[in-house]
Amino acid sequence: MTQRVPPSLPPALPPAANPLDAPSLKRRMACWLYEGMLLFGVVFIAGYLFGTLSQTRHALDNRPGLQAFLFLILGIYFTWFWHRSQTLAMKTWHVKVVSAQGLPLSQSRALLRYLLSWMWFLPPLLLTIPLGLPTGSIGLLSFVWVLIWALLSRFHPQRQFWHDAWAGTRLVSAK
């Protein structure tokens, strides 16, 4: 008598990853650094345009106007690209920004995210005003704050950055 062996079950598949899970912090920070390098060109061209249009002859002349202009240009840049889900750096690192429900961002939600994303820089910059710190100390303080702000995402239930949670957005993998 031959014994019948039951067909073996297929190997267990790993549980499907949630499409709304955050990319790793390492990948998000690599994207953040690459975005900073790309923004160098945006800021350079915008600064040149401002200087040309305003006939500014010295870098310190009309400084508040230049800062306001750059704030506006960066707001347009990020709002435009986030409304379409990705900047060039985000495409490179396969990261998308979506609403908390996983839908594309509206222009107003992208603008809110832009305003709240200044949490990366505003706290250390505001600290420098009353303390009157030298440039090197401002850089160190900013670096430490960026590190702290990035690590605080570990305390969010979905590992999102806090400014994303407050804006009703999230970063997800685009693969």
Side-chain angles (χ1 to χ4, degrees):
M1 223 171 32
T2 59
Q3 195 176 25
R4 250 185 109 148
V5 178
S8 61
L9 296 173
L13 297 173
N18 183 352
L20 295 180
D21 283 344
S24 70
L25 183 59
K26 182 179 175 183
R27 198 162 103 214
R28 287 182 286 162
M29 292 311 294
C31 179
W32 187 85
L33 286 171
Y34 185 42
E35 193 77 66
M37 290 188 320
L38 294 174
L39 285 178
F40 179 81
V42 172
V43 168
F44 178 81
I45 291 170
Y48 179 76
L49 180 64
F50 179 83
T52 302
L53 293 175
S54 66
Q55 296 296 309
T56 302
R57 301 284 182 231
H58 190 276
L60 295 179
D61 291 343
N62 207 2
R63 188 173 171 192
L66 175 61
Q67 290 172 334
F69 183 71
L70 291 176
F71 182 79
L72 179 67
I73 293 298
L74 292 176
I76 292 168
Y77 171 86
F78 282 115
T79 301
W80 174 269
F81 282 108
W82 288 341
H83 174 64
R84 284 157 179 72
S85 296
Q86 294 175 303
T87 62
L88 179 60
M90 295 169 89
K91 284 182 183 181
T92 303
W93 286 95
H94 305 289
V95 174
K96 282 175 49 175
V97 62
V98 295
S99 72
Q101 297 76 28
L103 303 171
L105 298 186
S106 65
Q107 289 276 346
S108 58
R109 176 106 23 211
L111 179 60
L112 177 62
R113 184 176 193 262
Y114 170 69
L115 296 173
L116 290 173
S117 71
W118 278 94
M119 286 299 297
W120 284 102
F121 303 106
L122 209 50
L125 293 178
L126 289 177
L127 260 180
T128 62
I129 295 169
L131 299 177
L133 298 174
T135 305
S137 297
I138 294 170
L140 179 63
L141 183 62
S142 296
F143 174 77
V144 169
W145 173 251
V146 164
L147 185 63
I148 290 169
W149 187 250
L151 291 174
L152 282 174
S153 69
R154 300 230 180 233
F155 296 104
H156 187 273
Q158 286 91 34
R159 305 272 188 194
Q160 295 291 329
F161 292 125
W162 286 98
H163 63 278
D164 278 314
W166 298 333
T169 62
R170 60 188 320 135
L171 294 175
V172 297
S173 290
K175 288 183 178 182

